[in-house]
Amino acid sequence: MEEKKKIAIAIDGPAAAGKSTVATRVAEILGFTYIDTGAMYRAFTYAVIKKGLDPTNEQQSCLVIPEVDITLTPDHRVFCNGEDVSEVIRTPLVSSQVSYIASYKDIRIALVKLQQKMAEKDSVVMDGRDIGTNVLPNAEVKIYLLADFNTRVMRRFEENIGKKLEVPYGDVAYELFLRDRIDSTRDFAPLKAAPDSIYIYSTPSSKIEDVVEAILEKVHQKTGMEIPCH
Ligand code: DC
């Protein structure tokens, strides 16, 4: 039997622009696998911290590469060496260190290989910073999701409250500012829109469903795929 062609949708953009919410919903409607690549960098950061190593030290952090086994499950749990790290990777400690880990070339090469393997197996919606430029340069649809800085800070601040994490607004703003800077100025595969990306700007009044519909329409246009009723 002829194998069905795999379709890839890349969603890139800065932290807290709403990528994962939108990507999860698009994947659900299309029946594709959702891959949160940020969670993989976070899981790696957790592994480095757990070993008592310093995530700001590239040499130390890269030593862990052969020992780290990261898996994402269909119900969106994240495992690192068999441990369910889905919650701990969202804590402020990991969030404040992950951009350093994501700037190390050897760690990126290892995780990108894993991400590309995942996209060979299934049709995917993958979100991150370098999906359209580096991980899946042949993705059928590339979205660059943007939101202004204050909207993003407020979104992250409210997410923390929802998780009962008391992080002052100013601290959330500073952390996002720092992460944006490190993510977009690193030498290797920085945060950047691919030239063939479609830009979507989400505002505080944008509805998730509208952003989702805009993406589904592009998927239909670019691939001819019929969008399932939803
Ligand atoms: O999307 P997120 O906030 O969970 O991402 C965590 C960090 O990982 C963030 O600093 C950017 C980095 N990242 C990356 O460099 N490349 C990706 N493909 C995904 C995330």
Side-chain angles (χ1 to χ4, degrees):
M1 205 170 63
E2 200 186 320
E3 223 191 315
K4 226 167 118 193
K5 184 181 179 312
K6 308 279 184 286
I7 294 173
I9 302 170
I11 303 184
D12 289 302
K19 299 185 298 295
S20 64
T21 311
V22 164
T24 305
R25 184 76 187 118
V26 170
E28 210 172 69
I29 293 169
L30 296 177
F32 289 8
T33 300
Y34 166 53
I35 298 170
D36 174 356
T37 61
M40 298 167 78
Y41 289 97
R42 286 170 179 272
F44 199 103
T45 305
Y46 171 74
V48 170
I49 294 170
K50 194 173 175 201
K51 270 226 125 186
L53 302 173
D54 174 8
T56 67
N57 182 313
E58 179 166 3
Q59 227 181 351
Q60 274 189 21
S61 301
C62 289
L63 284 177
V64 182
I65 295 173
E67 299 169 24
V68 177
D69 175 37
I70 296 170
T71 38
L72 306 180
T73 67
D75 59 346
H76 304 166
R77 307 297 297 175
V78 185
F79 285 80
C80 181
N81 296 338
E83 179 184 350
D84 185 341
V85 296
S86 314
E87 273 84 33
V88 72
I89 60 170
R90 308 279 165 200
T91 54
L93 175 63
V94 171
S95 296
S96 65
Q97 303 296 304
V98 62
S99 280
Y100 299 105
I101 292 295
S103 69
Y104 304 147
K105 187 175 176 182
D106 289 347
I107 294 175
R108 294 199 75 84
I109 289 173
L111 292 187
V112 166
K113 225 185 256 170
L114 197 58
Q115 291 153 11
Q116 288 171 334
K117 255 200 206 143
M118 291 170 167
E120 273 169 25
K121 259 188 21 215
D122 292 308
S123 288
V124 294
V125 181
M126 192 179 280
D127 79 14
R129 305 294 190 284
D130 61 336
I131 311 305
T133 52
N134 182 43
V135 182
L136 304 173
N138 297 321
E140 279 75 7
V141 179
K142 297 182 187 178
I143 304 291
Y144 197 76
L145 194 60
L146 280 161
D148 70 50
F149 185 70
N150 287 335
T151 306
R152 294 192 287 121
V153 175
M154 187 48 90
R155 181 177 285 136
R156 195 42 55 83
F157 179 70
E158 286 173 350
E159 264 173 30
N160 284 340
I161 291 177
K163 287 189 255 171
K164 310 229 169 343
L165 290 172
E166 278 183 37
V167 187
Y169 187 89
D171 290 7
V172 176
Y174 184 63
E175 188 223 301
L176 269 195
F177 165 78
L178 263 188
R179 280 177 53 199
D180 279 355
R181 201 172 60 182
I182 301 173
D183 292 342
S184 51
T185 58
R186 65 179 176 232
D187 292 336
F188 190 66
L191 165 65
K192 205 167 63 180
D196 49 347
S197 295
I198 298 147
Y199 285 76
I200 297 182
Y201 195 86
S202 97
T203 66
S205 58
S206 301
K207 293 201 192 76
I208 289 166
E209 280 312 311
D210 293 343
V211 178
V212 168
E213 289 307 320
I215 296 174
L216 293 173
E217 198 183 315
K218 292 291 166 201
V219 173
H220 175 67
Q221 274 172 14
K222 298 245 176 182
T223 66
M225 181 181 173
E226 287 307 327
I227 307 301
C229 280
H230 52 282

